[in-house]
Amino acid sequence: MALRFMTAGESHGPGLVAVLEGLPAGLELTPDDLDRDLARRQLGHGRGGRMKIESDRAEVTAGLRHGRTLGSPVAIRIANRDYANWEERMNPWPVGAEVEEVHLPRPGHADLAGVQKHGFTDVRNVLERASARETAARVACGALAKVFLRRLGMVVLSHVLSIGAVEAPRRGDLEPPDFEGVDESPVRCLDPDAAASMVAAIDAARKANESLGGTYEVRAFGVPPGLGSHVSWDVRLDGQLAQAVMSIHAMKGVGVGEGFDLAPLPGSQAHDEIFWSEEAGWRRETNRAGGIEGGMTNGEPVVVRGAMKPLPTLTKPLRSVDIATKEPAQALRERTDSCTVPAAAVVAEAMVALVLASACRAKFGGDHIDDAVAARDAYLARIGWRR
Ligand code: EPS
């Protein structure tokens, strides 16, 4: 990947850290570019008690000088405020401190395979890192990728399609202005009636000690044709997007464009016919492919959908086994969220932005942002791109 990032941090440890490498120099940033997306990730009806404790802020400690990138790796730290309540249990020091171990793995979590794999006796050694708290660090990196994409004329947006059994009406015609109020919706859904039913479903689930999953969609607008490549498996952009979105905690499915819904259709109804006119240049009347053909963007909006399972930390715990005694037991009961599909959509925006930004770095290069913009302009002129 031309742009790469890594995160570190445990959910109740001192904080999260991310390093993003590969942005050009000269990109202008404000603290708000990062903190706005961090705040959006914390929202959504169905969040639990932890969000009252955290109010995420990104502290940039490298790669930036007076609000402009230097072309060197950007390092970001996000403190865990909750660490104050966990210091004894999560302190990196001293060696050999006595803390109560967790022995009750939760079905659906990394807990059991994680302790088996690493030879741990304490499930907390796994669950702390497996927690979706880590996605705050991804969102900070994604926010930087979005600023870069914006300079190249692209915007990455998202909305929730379904929560539990409640589905919003499908719309294929969405444009960026349609997303303006999406963060004001308590479930980040564009349809107010469906949103009200989703809120009711989350409330009912919470009362019943249940959790709910759902689906969401990310759309990237202004994406030029030719990002990604057909020539090798690992440079196919749909493959990279699928991995990026599937890597988000609790994801169980990813589709590009109409995704699984294309499978039952006859070929004549499954593709996007090609048109050209002097005024508009190349265009399609449908976007079933989700803006990707042959592993490359085709100039239509990139559309990626994700399916999230219901969160597996339940206040009504499932059957499990105590890993110390091997006796049947109930899984660990912990404070948890009842639904995080709205937040997951914000995380997916970040992951899609990082993949697209990386593909732009590969295609347009440039040590300074102006070089990248000039390379994009020259390319779009060569292919006669009119949008
Ligand atoms: C999470 C459990 C909850 C979530 C957490 C992810 O935290 P806690 O165990 O402290 O109640 O709130 O998400 C975040 C802290 C976050 O910032 O998204 C889990 O088990 O994955």
Side-chain angles (χ1 to χ4, degrees), residues 176-220:
D178 294 313
F179 290 80
E180 257 158 35
V182 72
D183 291 327
E184 273 80 71
S185 161
V187 284
R188 308 197 63 257
C189 175
L190 297 176
D191 186 87
D193 293 338
S197 303
M198 289 174 185
V199 167
I202 293 167
D203 289 342
R206 187 161 28 201
K207 257 199 208 118
N209 291 319
E210 281 291 359
S211 60
L212 287 180
T215 60
Y216 56 82
E217 182 176 79
V218 178
R219 289 189 181 227

mmCIF file of all heavy atoms in Angstrom, residues 176-220:
data_model
loop_
_atom_site.group_PDB
_atom_site.id
_atom_site.type_symbol
_atom_site.label_atom_id
_atom_site.label_comp_id
_atom_site.label_asym_id
_atom_site.label_seq_id
_atom_site.Cartn_x
_atom_site.Cartn_y
_atom_site.Cartn_z
ATOM 1 N N PRO A 176 -23.977 14.007 -2.613
ATOM 2 C CA PRO A 176 -23.453 14.530 -1.340
ATOM 3 C C PRO A 176 -24.434 15.389 -0.540
ATOM 4 O O PRO A 176 -24.529 15.219 0.687
ATOM 5 C CB PRO A 176 -22.199 15.301 -1.762
ATOM 6 C CG PRO A 176 -21.714 14.554 -2.956
ATOM 7 C CD PRO A 176 -22.962 14.111 -3.693
ATOM 8 N N PRO A 177 -25.212 16.315 -1.157
ATOM 9 C CA PRO A 177 -26.117 17.132 -0.322
ATOM 10 C C PRO A 177 -27.166 16.302 0.428
ATOM 11 O O PRO A 177 -27.656 16.734 1.478
ATOM 12 C CB PRO A 177 -26.803 18.056 -1.346
ATOM 13 C CG PRO A 177 -25.876 18.098 -2.507
ATOM 14 C CD PRO A 177 -25.211 16.757 -2.565
ATOM 15 N N ASP A 178 -27.492 15.111 -0.075
ATOM 16 C CA ASP A 178 -28.467 14.263 0.623
ATOM 17 C C ASP A 178 -27.965 13.826 2.003
ATOM 18 O O ASP A 178 -28.744 13.396 2.846
ATOM 19 C CB ASP A 178 -28.784 13.014 -0.213
ATOM 20 C CG ASP A 178 -29.508 13.378 -1.501
ATOM 21 O OD1 ASP A 178 -30.455 14.167 -1.439
ATOM 22 O OD2 ASP A 178 -29.090 12.881 -2.575
ATOM 23 N N PHE A 179 -26.650 13.889 2.210
ATOM 24 C CA PHE A 179 -26.072 13.403 3.468
ATOM 25 C C PHE A 179 -25.958 14.505 4.521
ATOM 26 O O PHE A 179 -25.463 14.253 5.612
ATOM 27 C CB PHE A 179 -24.675 12.816 3.213
ATOM 28 C CG PHE A 179 -24.698 11.522 2.445
ATOM 29 C CD1 PHE A 179 -24.858 11.512 1.064
ATOM 30 C CD2 PHE A 179 -24.552 10.311 3.108
ATOM 31 C CE1 PHE A 179 -24.868 10.325 0.352
ATOM 32 C CE2 PHE A 179 -24.561 9.111 2.413
ATOM 33 C CZ PHE A 179 -24.730 9.121 1.027
ATOM 34 N N GLU A 180 -26.409 15.731 4.178
ATOM 35 C CA GLU A 180 -26.139 16.864 5.066
ATOM 36 C C GLU A 180 -26.629 16.664 6.500
ATOM 37 O O GLU A 180 -25.926 16.980 7.442
ATOM 38 C CB GLU A 180 -26.698 18.157 4.472
ATOM 39 C CG GLU A 180 -25.582 18.986 3.882
ATOM 40 C CD GLU A 180 -26.076 19.973 2.843
ATOM 41 O OE1 GLU A 180 -27.198 20.496 3.005
ATOM 42 O OE2 GLU A 180 -25.333 20.209 1.865
ATOM 43 N N GLY A 181 -27.828 16.121 6.667
ATOM 44 C CA GLY A 181 -28.355 15.991 8.029
ATOM 45 C C GLY A 181 -28.071 14.645 8.672
ATOM 46 O O GLY A 181 -28.575 14.372 9.769
ATOM 47 N N VAL A 182 -27.248 13.817 8.045
ATOM 48 C CA VAL A 182 -27.172 12.420 8.502
ATOM 49 C C VAL A 182 -26.625 12.295 9.928
ATOM 50 O O VAL A 182 -27.061 11.428 10.698
ATOM 51 C CB VAL A 182 -26.377 11.541 7.496
ATOM 52 C CG1 VAL A 182 -24.893 11.847 7.518
ATOM 53 C CG2 VAL A 182 -26.639 10.070 7.755
ATOM 54 N N ASP A 183 -25.711 13.193 10.308
ATOM 55 C CA ASP A 183 -25.160 13.075 11.662
ATOM 56 C C ASP A 183 -26.134 13.571 12.735
ATOM 57 O O ASP A 183 -25.927 13.328 13.916
ATOM 58 C CB ASP A 183 -23.830 13.833 11.769
ATOM 59 C CG ASP A 183 -22.735 13.146 10.964
ATOM 60 O OD1 ASP A 183 -22.772 11.903 10.871
ATOM 61 O OD2 ASP A 183 -21.868 13.842 10.422
ATOM 62 N N GLU A 184 -27.179 14.268 12.301
ATOM 63 C CA GLU A 184 -28.202 14.701 13.279
ATOM 64 C C GLU A 184 -29.183 13.560 13.578
ATOM 65 O O GLU A 184 -29.868 13.577 14.585
ATOM 66 C CB GLU A 184 -28.982 15.909 12.778
ATOM 67 C CG GLU A 184 -28.322 17.243 13.126
ATOM 68 C CD GLU A 184 -27.178 17.583 12.187
ATOM 69 O OE1 GLU A 184 -27.465 17.890 11.023
ATOM 70 O OE2 GLU A 184 -26.008 17.508 12.617
ATOM 71 N N SER A 185 -29.268 12.598 12.682
ATOM 72 C CA SER A 185 -30.137 11.448 12.947
ATOM 73 C C SER A 185 -29.510 10.619 14.066
ATOM 74 O O SER A 185 -28.310 10.339 14.028
ATOM 75 C CB SER A 185 -30.260 10.582 11.683
ATOM 76 O OG SER A 185 -30.701 9.287 12.020
ATOM 77 N N PRO A 186 -30.292 10.194 15.057
ATOM 78 C CA PRO A 186 -29.707 9.438 16.171
ATOM 79 C C PRO A 186 -29.136 8.095 15.748
ATOM 80 O O PRO A 186 -28.349 7.502 16.492
ATOM 81 C CB PRO A 186 -30.889 9.245 17.137
ATOM 82 C CG PRO A 186 -32.111 9.493 16.321
ATOM 83 C CD PRO A 186 -31.728 10.436 15.223
ATOM 84 N N VAL A 187 -29.515 7.619 14.565
ATOM 85 C CA VAL A 187 -28.947 6.355 14.066
ATOM 86 C C VAL A 187 -28.233 6.544 12.717
ATOM 87 O O VAL A 187 -27.944 5.581 12.029
ATOM 88 C CB VAL A 187 -30.027 5.251 13.952
ATOM 89 C CG1 VAL A 187 -30.368 4.696 15.322
ATOM 90 C CG2 VAL A 187 -31.287 5.770 13.276
ATOM 91 N N ARG A 188 -27.996 7.782 12.326
ATOM 92 C CA ARG A 188 -27.319 8.116 11.063
ATOM 93 C C ARG A 188 -28.017 7.481 9.861
ATOM 94 O O ARG A 188 -27.388 6.953 8.946
ATOM 95 C CB ARG A 188 -25.829 7.738 11.095
ATOM 96 C CG ARG A 188 -25.069 8.286 12.306
ATOM 97 C CD ARG A 188 -23.565 8.290 12.159
ATOM 98 N NE ARG A 188 -23.135 9.153 11.086
ATOM 99 C CZ ARG A 188 -22.745 8.723 9.901
ATOM 100 N NH1 ARG A 188 -22.699 7.453 9.634
ATOM 101 N NH2 ARG A 188 -22.407 9.571 8.972
ATOM 102 N N CYS A 189 -29.367 7.575 9.883
ATOM 103 C CA CYS A 189 -30.169 7.018 8.796
ATOM 104 C C CYS A 189 -30.828 8.174 8.047
ATOM 105 O O CYS A 189 -31.305 9.127 8.669
ATOM 106 C CB CYS A 189 -31.228 6.080 9.387
ATOM 107 S SG CYS A 189 -32.362 5.435 8.151
ATOM 108 N N LEU A 190 -30.868 8.093 6.707
ATOM 109 C CA LEU A 190 -31.392 9.204 5.904
ATOM 110 C C LEU A 190 -32.915 9.260 5.879
ATOM 111 O O LEU A 190 -33.481 10.267 5.475
ATOM 112 C CB LEU A 190 -30.861 9.096 4.466
ATOM 113 C CG LEU A 190 -29.346 9.226 4.320
ATOM 114 C CD1 LEU A 190 -28.932 8.993 2.871
ATOM 115 C CD2 LEU A 190 -28.871 10.589 4.802
ATOM 116 N N ASP A 191 -33.576 8.197 6.293
ATOM 117 C CA ASP A 191 -35.035 8.160 6.263
ATOM 118 C C ASP A 191 -35.588 8.347 7.691
ATOM 119 O O ASP A 191 -35.378 7.478 8.548
ATOM 120 C CB ASP A 191 -35.497 6.812 5.697
ATOM 121 C CG ASP A 191 -37.002 6.772 5.518
ATOM 122 O OD1 ASP A 191 -37.476 7.196 4.454
ATOM 123 O OD2 ASP A 191 -37.693 6.348 6.475
ATOM 124 N N PRO A 192 -36.264 9.473 7.959
ATOM 125 C CA PRO A 192 -36.679 9.758 9.343
ATOM 126 C C PRO A 192 -37.631 8.704 9.929
ATOM 127 O O PRO A 192 -37.532 8.388 11.123
ATOM 128 C CB PRO A 192 -37.392 11.114 9.247
ATOM 129 C CG PRO A 192 -36.982 11.686 7.934
ATOM 130 C CD PRO A 192 -36.610 10.559 7.032
ATOM 131 N N ASP A 193 -38.530 8.156 9.117
ATOM 132 C CA ASP A 193 -39.459 7.137 9.648
ATOM 133 C C ASP A 193 -38.701 5.876 10.042
ATOM 134 O O ASP A 193 -38.932 5.301 11.115
ATOM 135 C CB ASP A 193 -40.535 6.790 8.608
ATOM 136 C CG ASP A 193 -41.457 7.974 8.373
ATOM 137 O OD1 ASP A 193 -41.536 8.842 9.267
ATOM 138 O OD2 ASP A 193 -42.073 8.035 7.282
ATOM 139 N N ALA A 194 -37.824 5.451 9.156
ATOM 140 C CA ALA A 194 -37.026 4.259 9.476
ATOM 141 C C ALA A 194 -36.159 4.530 10.700
ATOM 142 O O ALA A 194 -36.010 3.660 11.572
ATOM 143 C CB ALA A 194 -36.154 3.869 8.286
ATOM 144 N N ALA A 195 -35.617 5.766 10.806
ATOM 145 C CA ALA A 195 -34.756 6.107 11.950
ATOM 146 C C ALA A 195 -35.537 5.963 13.256
ATOM 147 O O ALA A 195 -35.022 5.414 14.240
ATOM 148 C CB ALA A 195 -34.209 7.521 11.803
ATOM 149 N N ALA A 196 -36.781 6.454 13.259
ATOM 150 C CA ALA A 196 -37.601 6.357 14.482
ATOM 151 C C ALA A 196 -37.827 4.892 14.854
ATOM 152 O O ALA A 196 -37.740 4.513 16.034
ATOM 153 C CB ALA A 196 -38.931 7.079 14.267
ATOM 154 N N SER A 197 -38.089 4.051 13.854
ATOM 155 C CA SER A 197 -38.288 2.626 14.145
ATOM 156 C C SER A 197 -36.995 1.971 14.626
ATOM 157 O O SER A 197 -37.020 1.068 15.471
ATOM 158 C CB SER A 197 -38.775 1.881 12.896
ATOM 159 O OG SER A 197 -39.948 2.471 12.414
ATOM 160 N N MET A 198 -35.862 2.423 14.092
ATOM 161 C CA MET A 198 -34.570 1.863 14.538
ATOM 162 C C MET A 198 -34.310 2.213 15.998
ATOM 163 O O MET A 198 -33.855 1.370 16.780
ATOM 164 C CB MET A 198 -33.432 2.402 13.657
ATOM 165 C CG MET A 198 -33.428 1.844 12.246
ATOM 166 S SD MET A 198 -32.167 2.681 11.238
ATOM 167 C CE MET A 198 -32.501 1.948 9.633
ATOM 168 N N VAL A 199 -34.606 3.474 16.361
ATOM 169 C CA VAL A 199 -34.415 3.900 17.760
ATOM 170 C C VAL A 199 -35.287 3.035 18.674
ATOM 171 O O VAL A 199 -34.834 2.547 19.718
ATOM 172 C CB VAL A 199 -34.750 5.401 17.926
ATOM 173 C CG1 VAL A 199 -34.863 5.790 19.390
ATOM 174 C CG2 VAL A 199 -33.697 6.255 17.213
ATOM 175 N N ALA A 200 -36.532 2.810 18.255
ATOM 176 C CA ALA A 200 -37.447 1.989 19.069
ATOM 177 C C ALA A 200 -36.929 0.557 19.184
ATOM 178 O O ALA A 200 -36.982 -0.059 20.260
ATOM 179 C CB ALA A 200 -38.850 2.005 18.446
ATOM 180 N N ALA A 201 -36.391 0.047 18.089
ATOM 181 C CA ALA A 201 -35.865 -1.332 18.114
ATOM 182 C C ALA A 201 -34.667 -1.434 19.057
ATOM 183 O O ALA A 201 -34.532 -2.423 19.792
ATOM 184 C CB ALA A 201 -35.462 -1.754 16.697
ATOM 185 N N ILE A 202 -33.805 -0.400 19.060
ATOM 186 C CA ILE A 202 -32.629 -0.418 19.958
ATOM 187 C C ILE A 202 -33.093 -0.346 21.414
ATOM 188 O O ILE A 202 -32.589 -1.069 22.287
ATOM 189 C CB ILE A 202 -31.660 0.744 19.624
ATOM 190 C CG1 ILE A 202 -31.041 0.522 18.245
ATOM 191 C CG2 ILE A 202 -30.583 0.876 20.692
ATOM 192 C CD1 ILE A 202 -30.318 1.733 17.675
ATOM 193 N N ASP A 203 -34.084 0.515 21.682
ATOM 194 C CA ASP A 203 -34.609 0.629 23.056
ATOM 195 C C ASP A 203 -35.195 -0.699 23.522
ATOM 196 O O ASP A 203 -34.964 -1.126 24.660
ATOM 197 C CB ASP A 203 -35.677 1.733 23.135
ATOM 198 C CG ASP A 203 -35.047 3.117 23.004
ATOM 199 O OD1 ASP A 203 -33.821 3.233 23.203
ATOM 200 O OD2 ASP A 203 -35.795 4.076 22.695
ATOM 201 N N ALA A 204 -35.948 -1.345 22.633
ATOM 202 C CA ALA A 204 -36.560 -2.633 22.997
ATOM 203 C C ALA A 204 -35.477 -3.676 23.241
ATOM 204 O O ALA A 204 -35.556 -4.471 24.192
ATOM 205 C CB ALA A 204 -37.516 -3.094 21.894
ATOM 206 N N ALA A 205 -34.433 -3.660 22.395
ATOM 207 C CA ALA A 205 -33.341 -4.635 22.556
ATOM 208 C C ALA A 205 -32.640 -4.414 23.888
ATOM 209 O O ALA A 205 -32.366 -5.362 24.627
ATOM 210 C CB ALA A 205 -32.350 -4.501 21.404
ATOM 211 N N ARG A 206 -32.378 -3.149 24.197
ATOM 212 C CA ARG A 206 -31.664 -2.855 25.445
ATOM 213 C C ARG A 206 -32.463 -3.334 26.651
ATOM 214 O O ARG A 206 -31.915 -3.926 27.573
ATOM 215 C CB ARG A 206 -31.376 -1.355 25.542
ATOM 216 C CG ARG A 206 -30.495 -1.046 26.720
ATOM 217 C CD ARG A 206 -29.797 0.292 26.667
ATOM 218 N NE ARG A 206 -30.486 1.316 25.918
ATOM 219 C CZ ARG A 206 -29.877 2.390 25.424
ATOM 220 N NH1 ARG A 206 -28.597 2.548 25.586
ATOM 221 N NH2 ARG A 206 -30.557 3.304 24.778
ATOM 222 N N LYS A 207 -33.784 -3.073 26.600
ATOM 223 C CA LYS A 207 -34.659 -3.516 27.700
ATOM 224 C C LYS A 207 -34.617 -5.031 27.867
ATOM 225 O O LYS A 207 -34.702 -5.559 28.969
ATOM 226 C CB LYS A 207 -36.099 -3.080 27.420
ATOM 227 C CG LYS A 207 -36.495 -1.890 28.233
ATOM 228 C CD LYS A 207 -37.989 -1.705 28.341
ATOM 229 C CE LYS A 207 -38.264 -0.229 28.524
ATOM 230 N NZ LYS A 207 -39.061 0.361 27.458
ATOM 231 N N ALA A 208 -34.497 -5.718 26.732
ATOM 232 C CA ALA A 208 -34.488 -7.185 26.760
ATOM 233 C C ALA A 208 -33.065 -7.736 26.946
ATOM 234 O O ALA A 208 -32.840 -8.933 26.738
ATOM 235 C CB ALA A 208 -35.097 -7.721 25.465
ATOM 236 N N ASN A 209 -32.122 -6.870 27.335
ATOM 237 C CA ASN A 209 -30.714 -7.276 27.490
ATOM 238 C C ASN A 209 -30.139 -7.878 26.209
ATOM 239 O O ASN A 209 -29.334 -8.804 26.247
ATOM 240 C CB ASN A 209 -30.539 -8.275 28.640
ATOM 241 C CG ASN A 209 -30.769 -7.614 29.978
ATOM 242 O OD1 ASN A 209 -30.336 -6.483 30.190
ATOM 243 N ND2 ASN A 209 -31.483 -8.288 30.859
ATOM 244 N N GLU A 210 -30.580 -7.343 25.090
ATOM 245 C CA GLU A 210 -30.112 -7.838 23.795
ATOM 246 C C GLU A 210 -29.254 -6.777 23.113
ATOM 247 O O GLU A 210 -29.242 -5.606 23.518
ATOM 248 C CB GLU A 210 -31.319 -8.142 22.884
ATOM 249 C CG GLU A 210 -32.000 -9.459 23.168
ATOM 250 C CD GLU A 210 -31.127 -10.661 22.783
ATOM 251 O OE1 GLU A 210 -30.011 -10.461 22.286
ATOM 252 O OE2 GLU A 210 -31.595 -11.793 23.003
ATOM 253 N N SER A 211 -28.573 -7.185 22.051
ATOM 254 C CA SER A 211 -27.838 -6.237 21.208
ATOM 255 C C SER A 211 -28.332 -6.390 19.776
ATOM 256 O O SER A 211 -28.923 -7.416 19.434
ATOM 257 C CB SER A 211 -26.333 -6.530 21.282
ATOM 258 O OG SER A 211 -26.081 -7.845 20.822
ATOM 259 N N LEU A 212 -28.097 -5.370 18.954
ATOM 260 C CA LEU A 212 -28.554 -5.417 17.556
ATOM 261 C C LEU A 212 -27.425 -5.081 16.591
ATOM 262 O O LEU A 212 -26.629 -4.172 16.848
ATOM 263 C CB LEU A 212 -29.692 -4.410 17.327
ATOM 264 C CG LEU A 212 -31.061 -4.737 17.918
ATOM 265 C CD1 LEU A 212 -32.039 -3.609 17.572
ATOM 266 C CD2 LEU A 212 -31.589 -6.072 17.400
ATOM 267 N N GLY A 213 -27.383 -5.787 15.483
ATOM 268 C CA GLY A 213 -26.466 -5.472 14.390
ATOM 269 C C GLY A 213 -27.196 -4.703 13.307
ATOM 270 O O GLY A 213 -28.275 -4.136 13.540
ATOM 271 N N GLY A 214 -26.622 -4.702 12.117
ATOM 272 C CA GLY A 214 -27.273 -3.988 11.016
ATOM 273 C C GLY A 214 -26.341 -3.824 9.835
ATOM 274 O O GLY A 214 -25.254 -4.426 9.789
ATOM 275 N N THR A 215 -26.772 -3.003 8.897
ATOM 276 C CA THR A 215 -25.978 -2.761 7.690
ATOM 277 C C THR A 215 -25.852 -1.260 7.429
ATOM 278 O O THR A 215 -26.697 -0.474 7.860
ATOM 279 C CB THR A 215 -26.611 -3.433 6.444
ATOM 280 O OG1 THR A 215 -27.917 -2.892 6.249
ATOM 281 C CG2 THR A 215 -26.707 -4.939 6.604
ATOM 282 N N TYR A 216 -24.803 -0.904 6.718
ATOM 283 C CA TYR A 216 -24.577 0.512 6.389
ATOM 284 C C TYR A 216 -23.926 0.578 5.016
ATOM 285 O O TYR A 216 -23.488 -0.440 4.468
ATOM 286 C CB TYR A 216 -23.670 1.173 7.442
ATOM 287 C CG TYR A 216 -22.374 0.440 7.588
ATOM 288 C CD1 TYR A 216 -21.321 0.655 6.707
ATOM 289 C CD2 TYR A 216 -22.221 -0.524 8.576
ATOM 290 C CE1 TYR A 216 -20.158 -0.057 6.801
ATOM 291 C CE2 TYR A 216 -21.052 -1.247 8.680
ATOM 292 C CZ TYR A 216 -20.024 -1.017 7.802
ATOM 293 O OH TYR A 216 -18.860 -1.742 7.878
ATOM 294 N N GLU A 217 -23.875 1.800 4.507
ATOM 295 C CA GLU A 217 -23.304 2.001 3.169
ATOM 296 C C GLU A 217 -22.350 3.187 3.215
ATOM 297 O O GLU A 217 -22.664 4.215 3.808
ATOM 298 C CB GLU A 217 -24.459 2.309 2.217
ATOM 299 C CG GLU A 217 -24.071 2.505 0.782
ATOM 300 C CD GLU A 217 -25.313 2.699 -0.081
ATOM 301 O OE1 GLU A 217 -25.860 3.819 -0.095
ATOM 302 O OE2 GLU A 217 -25.737 1.726 -0.723
ATOM 303 N N VAL A 218 -21.213 3.043 2.564
ATOM 304 C CA VAL A 218 -20.273 4.152 2.391
ATOM 305 C C VAL A 218 -20.284 4.519 0.912
ATOM 306 O O VAL A 218 -20.255 3.626 0.051
ATOM 307 C CB VAL A 218 -18.843 3.741 2.807
ATOM 308 C CG1 VAL A 218 -17.862 4.883 2.583
ATOM 309 C CG2 VAL A 218 -18.825 3.307 4.266
ATOM 310 N N ARG A 219 -20.379 5.812 0.618
ATOM 311 C CA ARG A 219 -20.302 6.276 -0.774
ATOM 312 C C ARG A 219 -19.189 7.305 -0.914
ATOM 313 O O ARG A 219 -19.131 8.265 -0.149
ATOM 314 C CB ARG A 219 -21.625 6.919 -1.208
ATOM 315 C CG ARG A 219 -22.710 5.887 -1.372
ATOM 316 C CD ARG A 219 -23.954 6.485 -1.999
ATOM 317 N NE ARG A 219 -24.932 5.422 -2.094
ATOM 318 C CZ ARG A 219 -25.666 5.146 -3.168
ATOM 319 N NH1 ARG A 219 -25.565 5.906 -4.236
ATOM 320 N NH2 ARG A 219 -26.502 4.153 -3.163
ATOM 321 N N ALA A 220 -18.343 7.100 -1.899
ATOM 322 C CA ALA A 220 -17.281 8.066 -2.185
ATOM 323 C C ALA A 220 -17.601 8.737 -3.513
ATOM 324 O O ALA A 220 -17.790 8.057 -4.534
ATOM 325 C CB ALA A 220 -15.939 7.360 -2.260
#
